[in-house]
Amino acid sequence: MRIGKGRGLKLAGLALALSFLTGTGAAYASGEGAGLLSGVLSLDVSCGYDGNAKAGRYAPMEISVGNGGEDEFTGVVSIVTMEADEEIYSYEYSVTVEGNGQEEMEIYVPLGTGSDQVFVSVCNDSGQEMAEKRLKIEASEETAELFVGLLSDHPERLAYLDGVGVSFGALRTRAFPIATEDFPEEERGLDTLDVLVVNDYRLRNLSEQQTRAIMDWVEAGGVMVLGTGDRVDDTLGRFAPELLDESYDSPQRMEIHPDGDGAMGEIPTETVEVSCVRVSLHGGTVLTADQGFPLLSVAMKEQGIVAVTAYDLGDIEAYGRANSSFVDEMFTDILGEERISQLSAYIYGNTGEEYWAVQNAINTGNVEKLPNVGLYMLVTAVYIGLAGPGIYLFLKKREMRRYYGTCLTGCAVLFAVILYAMGSKTRFHGTFITYATVKDATGDAVTETTYVNLRNPYSRPYRVEVDPAYAVAPVTRNMYYYGENRKRFTGAEENQVSVRYGQESTSVAVQDAAAFDSKYFRLTRQEENISEEGLTGYLRYYDGQVSGSVTNQYDSDLEDVAVILYGRLVPVGDMKAGETVELDSLESLSAPVNDPYSVASFLTGLSEYEQADINDAGYMRALERTNLLVFYMQNSLQGYRSEARAVAFRPSGDDEPQEWMKRYDSFGLTMLTSSIEVDSSQDRMRYRSALLKRASAIQGSYDPTSNMIYSQEPATVVYSLGGDLDVSRVEFCSVDPVFAGEEDSSWKIFAGDMYVYNHVTGKFDRMEDMVLEEGDLIYYLSPENELTVRFVSTDDSGYGWAVLPMPMVTGREI
C-alpha cells in the first residue's frame, strides 16, 4: 500500500475533492459550518513505512489534526475500514486540539481486507464530521508481494532486493527502508513486514523497547535477516547472547561463491571477495556453504525465523544486481515452501483460516446452560396427568365438574410459572462472552492472546467494555464466503462495529446485529513478568532421550502438563504449585509432526472416551482443552522448531475469567505455555531431525509437512541432512501406536519395508533395522549429504495416508 502526500490547499471544496480523488493532501472544513466558533480544522494522514502497508495487517498511522481557530476543539478521530465479510469497522480515538494548535497522533490500526480504501475523519462531540481523508491501498492484483523492511545506514546498497520474483514468481519482493526515528516500539508496528533485513546498521542505536519489539515480532512469526561482514559487532552483537552457540571470530577477507558450492555437475557461479564471519547459530542449520564455510544459516525462533549471512549484503550489491536468481534462492531457502505458500495465498485476500479455527476453539459452549431434559419431561408428564384425567376425576368424584375449566386454567398458569422458573438458569439476560486464552510466560515477558465471541440474545445494539491494555482486532470470515460480487466501499456506510479507545476502557459497540450473531475478536497484550511465573526448566534431547527438569512457578496447581518438542512428546501430568519434575524418569513418545488432534486428545484424555457425552463433566472438560490445544498447536507449533513448549491447564475451579469479563455472562478456558530451551549437543556433536530441511519425493505421493506417504504406492524420499554436519548416525523413529487413533482415522502408521540408495552399487539396499551407522553411511550419503530412502508398504488394509518414521541425525559440527 503506497500512499503519497500532497500539499494542503486553502480552498476547502478543492482540497476535499483532491483528497477524495487522490487520497493525498490535507482535508479542511469550515469552522462556522461545522460547529467551530472560528477558523478551520485540518487533517493530514500518513500510513505505513514510506507509504507501504498491507491490508489485513496492523499498519502504523500518523495523524495530524490542526485547529486554525481560537477556541479549543474536542472530538473523535475515526479510521473506517471494510473487513472481508463486508462489515464496516471503525476505530475511534478522542482528540483535543488547542486554539491555533496542532495535535499529532501515532497509532496502529488493523486494516481491513474487504476494500482497497480506508477513510479517516474527524468529528466534533456532536458527531458532526469536520474533515475526512481517503487513503487508497495500492497492491498488486497479479502477484502476492513480500514486504521487506530495510534497517540500514545505506539502504540504497540493498536496492537489488526489490522487485525480485521468489519461488518461481509466487511472490514479488517490495523492499523499502525504515528510518531509525520511525522504527516502532511495539510488535504491532512491524506487522506490516514479512521480512526485516538488518544490515550495515548499529542495532544499539535502537532503544531497548525497539529491540524487544523486533524479537517479539520474530517470535510471533516474523523473519529477520542479519547481514554481518565488517560490521558484525553492530548488527549481530546485541543479539549474540540469545542467538549464538559460541562467540564469532573477527571478519576475514575471502573469495566466495554467494550461491554456495551448488550440486555436483553444476557450473560454478562467479566469485566475489568480501569480508566474512563464521557464525554458529543456536539450534541452527547451514543453508548455503562454500567449501565448508557457512554463508547462510537459519534458526527457528519460536514461530519465526532468524537468518544470518556471513557477509555484508551491501558488499555483494553488484553480484545481486547481475544475478537476480541469488535473491530468489536466498528468500526461497529462508522462508521455506510452506511459508511461501501461505504468503502467496494473500493475493486472494483473507483466507478465513483464523476465523474457522477460532470458531472451533471457543464454540464448545457452557453445558450448564443446557436444560435438564429428563426433568422437563417429568414436569410435562405430571402436567398432562393433572390437566387430563387427574383434575377431571378429582372434581367428578366430588360432583364439582363445573369448576373444571377454572381449575384447568389455574393448573396451566401454575405449571407455566414452574417451567419459567426452571428455565431461569438456561436463559441469557444480556450480552454474553465465550473465550479462549493462551497465556505465554517466557523469560521476563507474559504475552496474552485472547479470542472472544461476543453475542447478545436480542436484536438490538450492545456495547462491551474491554480492559484498555488490550489491542483489539476483528477476526472475520473468508472474503469469498458470500460469493465474488463484492460491494463497493464508499465511506458513507453505517458502521456495524465501532472500537473506541479510552483511558479507562476500550469500548466495542455492535450495531444492527441479529440475536445471537457472533462477533469474533483477537485481544493481545504483553506485560512484564514481575512475579516470574511460568513453567521453567532445562531440557536435553540427545540420542532419543529427553532429560532435565520442569518447575511449576505458578502459585496454583496445574493439570495435563506436557512438554512438546518437534516429533517428541513428554506427558508430565499434574503438578503442584512450586513442584519440580525430573523428566529422566518419564516416558517420552515419538509423535506425529502435523496431527495436533491426535496429540492433544491423548494429553487431555479425550481419546479414552469411546463416544461423546455432553452430560459427562469429564468428557466436556477434555473436549474443551483438546480444542484449545489443537488451535494452539496449529497456529504456534507447526513446522520445525529447536525449542520445546511446556503447556498446562489450571484446575476447572481455579480458571476464572479476566476482570473485565466478570461484568458479563462469560465462559471459557485459559491455557498456560512457556518456551524452554533444548540442548541437543554433546561437545561438537549435534542431534536433530532430518526434517529440519524440507524433504522431497522423486517417486510416489509424499507430504513433507506431515511426513506422510500414500500407503498403497511406493514412495522414494530424499532427505537433506545439511552441509554443516559430518553425519555419523541416522535413526528412523516410528510414531508411537498411542497416536494411531481409530480404525477410520485419516492416517495410519507406516508398516512395510525401507530401502536406502547405495551410491556405490547404484541400487537400493533393504534396511534390516531402523539405524544407519557411520560405517554404512559412506555408501548411502551423497556428496551433498543427502539420503535417499524408498518406502514400500505391506499394509493391505486399504488406501490411505501413512506417517513415516522420523529420521533423526547425529553428526559432528564441521
Side-chain angles (χ1 to χ4, degrees):
M1 171 176 172
R2 288 194 172 119
I3 305 164
K5 295 183 179 179
R7 297 180 178 178
L9 301 178
K10 295 182 180 180
L11 297 178
L14 180 58
L16 283 172
L18 288 175
S19 175
F20 183 82
L21 291 175
T22 66
T24 62
Y28 294 87
S30 167
E32 296 177 355
L36 285 175
L37 296 179
S38 61
V40 295
L41 193 73
S42 65
L43 172 65
D44 192 25
V45 183
S46 65
C47 184
Y49 299 105
D50 195 24
N52 294 280
K54 216 172 196 180
R57 308 271 188 91
Y58 274 101
M61 189 172 288
E62 295 182 358
I63 301 174
S64 176
V65 181
N67 180 7
E70 298 294 332
D71 299 313
E72 181 182 81
F73 170 79
T74 59
V76 175
V77 173
S78 297
I79 301 95
V80 183
T81 72
M82 186 168 77
E83 286 294 333
D85 56 2
E86 298 187 348
E87 291 198 345
I88 310 302
Y89 284 71
S90 71
Y91 304 90
E92 302 173 353
Y93 300 82
S94 298
V95 62
T96 300
V97 190
E98 296 181 356
N100 294 313
Q102 187 164 305
E103 182 69 18
E104 305 286 343
M105 303 174 63
E106 295 183 3
I107 58 178
Y108 299 108
V109 179
L111 302 180
T113 58
S115 174
D116 61 353
Q117 300 181 107
V118 178
F119 291 87
V120 182
S121 62
V122 180
C123 297
N124 61 19
D125 288 334
S126 301
Q128 186 176 13
E129 185 175 287
M130 310 294 293
E132 182 188 63
K133 183 173 181 181
R134 181 182 73 116
L135 306 178
K136 183 73 166 63
I137 299 174
E138 183 182 317
S140 171
E141 297 181 357
E142 299 177 355
T143 305
E145 293 181 298
L146 183 73
F147 275 33
V148 182
L150 307 177
L151 190 58
S152 175
D153 289 338
H154 300 93
E156 68 280 358
R157 300 177 64 204
L158 304 177
Y160 68 93
L161 300 177
D162 184 44
V164 178
V166 175
S167 187
F168 302 101
L171 300 171
R172 181 162 294 277
T173 61
R174 183 192 288 192
F176 48 87
I178 303 178
T180 301
E181 59 270 19
D182 295 332
F183 203 84
E185 294 186 351
E186 296 183 44
E187 173 199 328
R188 289 183 296 164
L190 294 169
D191 194 39
T192 294
L193 305 180
D194 299 308
V195 179
L196 174 65
V197 176
V198 182
N199 187 82
D200 192 17
Y201 183 82
R202 188 175 185 272
L203 271 173
R204 297 189 186 279
N205 289 343
L206 300 179
S207 67
E208 185 176 343
Q209 291 84 353
Q210 290 172 318
T211 305
R212 183 68 256 173
I214 293 177
M215 294 311 300
D216 290 341
W217 173 75
V218 170
E219 291 170 358
V223 178
M224 178 171 64
V225 181
L226 298 170
T228 58
D230 287 328
R231 296 194 65 179
V232 60
D233 291 335
D234 289 338
T235 56
L236 186 58
R238 188 159 192 170
F239 292 134
E242 58 183 311
L243 294 181
L244 303 185
D245 278 328
E246 55 191 37
S247 61
Y248 49 82
D249 297 328
S250 300
Q252 55 181 318
R253 298 292 293 181
M254 297 177 59
E255 278 197 2
I256 63 169
H257 298 87
D259 286 303
D261 294 323
M264 290 191 66
E266 290 185 357
I267 300 175
T269 58
E270 62 182 280
T271 62
V272 294
E273 185 178 353
V274 292
S275 295
C276 291
V277 181
R278 180 185 289 272
V279 175
S280 177
L281 283 176
H282 177 66
T285 187
V286 176
L287 295 181
T288 305
D290 188 5
Q291 302 297 319
F293 188 89
L295 298 180
L296 174 62
S297 303
V298 298
M300 298 299 298
K301 188 68 174 175
E302 297 192 18
Q303 301 173 55
I305 299 173
V306 175
V308 178
T309 63
Y311 44 81
D312 186 313
L313 288 164
D315 289 346
I316 60 169
E317 176 186 8
Y319 181 88
R321 290 185 181 277
N323 301 274
S324 60
S325 62
F326 163 73
V327 180
D328 174 10
E329 292 174 5
M330 180 180 71
F331 282 126
T332 299
D333 289 343
I334 293 173
L335 297 173
E337 292 184 22
E338 185 175 356
R339 192 179 292 259
I340 289 174
S341 177
Q342 293 173 350
L343 291 171
S344 62
Y346 214 89
I347 190 68
Y348 305 107
N350 179 9
T351 64
E353 291 182 3
E354 184 181 29
Y355 176 88
W356 302 115
V358 169
Q359 188 180 69
N360 291 334
I362 67 177
N363 275 8
T364 306
N366 187 354
V367 294
E368 295 179 359
K369 290 290 186 180
L370 295 176
N372 187 329
V373 178
L375 181 59
Y376 271 88
M377 292 180 64
L378 176 62
V379 172
T380 303
V382 172
Y383 169 71
I384 294 174
L386 287 176
I391 295 178
Y392 178 79
L393 294 175
F394 177 80
L395 295 176
K396 180 181 178 181
K397 187 175 182 179
R398 289 164 176 75
E399 297 184 354
M400 300 174 64
R401 283 178 294 180
R402 64 182 179 275
Y403 297 111
Y404 178 71
T406 303
C407 292
L408 184 62
T409 302
C411 181
V413 171
L414 174 63
F415 275 85
V417 172
I418 292 174
L419 290 173
Y420 182 84
M422 288 172 57
S424 60
K425 76 169 188 175
T426 66
R427 195 174 300 115
F428 291 100
H429 301 281
T431 301
F432 61 100
I433 301 171
T434 52
Y435 69 91
T437 297
V438 177
K439 187 175 181 181
D440 181 81
T442 300
D444 59 358
V446 177
T447 303
E448 186 178 306
T449 303
T450 298
Y451 290 90
V452 298
N453 180 8
L454 308 182
R455 283 173 288 182
N456 191 281
Y458 309 107
S459 297
R460 64 189 186 195
Y462 63 93
R463 184 183 303 271
V464 173
E465 303 293 333
V466 179
D467 189 322
Y470 289 98
V472 180
V475 179
T476 57
R477 294 180 178 90
N478 189 314
M479 66 180 298
Y480 294 109
Y481 182 78
Y482 299 107
E484 298 193 13
N485 295 323
R486 305 195 56 77
K487 70 179 183 182
R488 184 171 180 269
F489 178 41
T490 65
E493 298 86 350
E494 292 292 329
N495 301 332
Q496 273 88 27
V497 180
S498 298
V499 180
R500 179 74 176 268
Y501 291 92
Q503 294 293 330
E504 301 298 326
S505 68
T506 296
S507 175
V508 179
V510 179
Q511 310 291 333
D512 302 326
F516 295 99
D517 186 29
S518 293
K519 298 294 180 185
Y520 294 97
F521 293 89
R522 181 179 65 252
L523 313 180
T524 55
R525 70 174 176 181
Q526 186 177 86
E527 299 175 325
E528 186 178 354
N529 192 1
I530 300 176
S531 59
E532 298 183 348
E533 63 184 12
L535 290 160
T536 61
Y538 166 80
L539 265 68
R540 187 171 187 273
Y541 181 34
Y542 192 83
D543 198 21
Q545 301 298 315
V546 179
S547 59
S549 64
V550 174
T551 301
N552 175 13
Q553 301 284 10
Y554 291 98
D555 56 5
S556 63
D557 297 345
L558 299 178
E559 297 178 347
D560 293 336
V561 183
V563 177
I564 305 175
L565 298 88
Y566 183 70
R568 181 66 57 172
L569 174 70
V570 184
V572 178
D574 298 344
M575 295 182 68
K576 298 291 185 181
E579 181 183 0
T580 297
V581 174
E582 297 295 332
L583 301 181
D584 309 56
S585 58
L586 299 180
E587 181 184 20
S588 69
L589 306 171
S590 180
V593 296
N594 201 35
D595 185 14
Y597 180 81
S598 65
V599 175
S601 60
F602 170 76
L603 286 176
T604 62
L606 183 66
S607 59
E608 298 178 4
Y609 290 87
E610 295 183 358
Q611 60 183 13
D613 184 2
I614 62 175
N615 294 315
D616 187 332
Y619 171 82
M620 292 304 300
R621 180 173 60 251
L623 177 62
E624 293 157 7
R625 292 181 177 183
T626 297
N627 289 343
L628 180 52
L629 184 53
V630 167
F631 173 78
Y632 173 73
M633 294 178 69
Q634 287 176 336
N635 287 272
S636 302
L637 300 183
Q638 293 286 68
Y640 182 84
R641 57 195 176 276
S642 58
E643 83 285 348
R645 277 282 168 176
V647 299
F649 298 89
R650 285 195 175 98
S652 299
D654 297 343
D655 194 6
E656 295 186 355
Q658 299 156 25
E659 285 299 321
W660 67 270
M661 291 186 186
K662 293 180 180 179
R663 298 191 293 267
Y664 310 95
D665 191 357
S666 58
F667 170 78
L669 184 66
T670 299
M671 185 173 71
L672 307 173
T673 71
S674 293
S675 177
I676 302 178
E677 292 293 328
V678 178
D679 180 11
S680 296
S681 64
Q682 182 173 299
D683 298 326
R684 294 194 64 85
M685 299 296 290
R686 300 289 183 264
Y687 180 74
R688 70 189 186 200
S689 169
L691 298 184
L692 173 65
K693 295 190 71 173
R694 192 181 182 93
S696 60
I698 57 177
Q699 177 196 12
S701 300
Y702 173 68
D703 180 6
T705 59
S706 58
N707 194 33
M708 291 183 183
I709 64 169
Y710 200 61
S711 62
Q712 295 304 307
E713 301 175 357
T716 304
V717 181
V718 179
Y719 298 101
S720 179
L721 308 188
D724 58 329
L725 290 182
D726 182 8
V727 180
S728 59
R729 192 173 192 266
V730 178
E731 179 181 7
F732 289 84
C733 302
S734 295
V735 170
D736 197 283
V738 298
F739 302 111
E742 305 296 332
E743 292 183 0
D744 59 351
S745 175
S746 60
W747 61 270
K748 62 191 73 174
I749 298 174
F750 173 78
D753 296 323
M754 297 169 54
Y755 301 84
V756 60
Y757 183 72
N758 189 317
H759 288 271
V760 175
T761 64
K763 298 179 180 180
F764 281 89
D765 298 339
R766 186 176 184 275
M767 292 182 62
E768 299 300 330
D769 53 29
M770 306 289 279
V771 179
L772 295 174
E773 299 290 354
E774 187 171 10
D776 302 320
L777 290 171
I778 59 175
Y779 303 105
Y780 301 129
L781 284 181
S782 72
E784 295 80 29
N785 253 13
E786 291 181 340
L787 186 70
T788 303
V789 183
R790 176 173 294 169
F791 299 89
V792 180
S793 174
T794 57
D795 189 348
D796 57 1
S797 61
Y799 292 93
W801 289 92
V803 61
L804 298 178
M806 169 74 76
M808 299 301 298
V809 181
T810 305
R812 181 178 298 277
E813 187 177 35
I814 299 176

